[in-house]
Amino acid sequence: QVQLVESGGGLVQAGGSLRLSCAASGGTFSTNSMAWYRQAPGKQRELVASISSGGSTSYADSVKGRFTISRDNAKRTVYLQMNSLKPEDTAVYYCKRVILASYGDWGQGTQVTVSS
């Protein structure tokens, strides 16, 4: 069974850092693009960062220069290093395994709260 499990969320002060991890089990991994999304209360879920099977990365303008997505295929894990965190980064962060352009698997999410 395919499963994605996020970890590493928590409470941090503005300007601090967190490193999120997403461990994938089952199915394929190394051939899939992976992505991090986030959703704040009352807001649409938005794409934060993505990484292709070849290692190409893409970031939302709001996090460029602060967040870094990476992957370790041997560990079947994707990471999101978040630096210089701001209160507006507060959200539930979700990991996604892309199957097709519009389809994929989702993790359960991990809460990130940035205090001012």
Side-chain angles (χ1 to χ4, degrees), residues 34-110:
M34 300 292 294
W36 285 97
Y37 287 73
R38 67 186 181 187
Q39 186 168 28
K43 298 187 68 176
Q44 190 83 277
R45 186 172 297 188
E46 63 175 348
L47 176 64
V48 176
S50 64
I51 183 166
S52 73
S53 60
S56 297
T57 59
S58 182
Y59 300 91
D61 288 341
S62 60
V63 307
K64 284 182 179 177
R66 299 189 298 120
F67 291 10
T68 302
I69 187 171
S70 62
R71 65 191 299 162
D72 185 333
N73 290 339
K75 295 182 178 179
R76 295 174 64 91
T77 301
V78 61
Y79 305 94
L80 185 66
Q81 178 66 48
M82 306 185 293
N83 299 324
S84 302
L85 284 162
K86 305 174 181 179
E88 50 262 47
D89 294 320
T90 295
V92 176
Y93 284 71
Y94 297 91
C95 177
K96 181 183 180 181
R97 170 178 168 263
V98 180
I99 306 301
L100 294 172
S102 301
Y103 304 113
D105 303 308
W106 294 92
Q108 82 291 339
T110 185

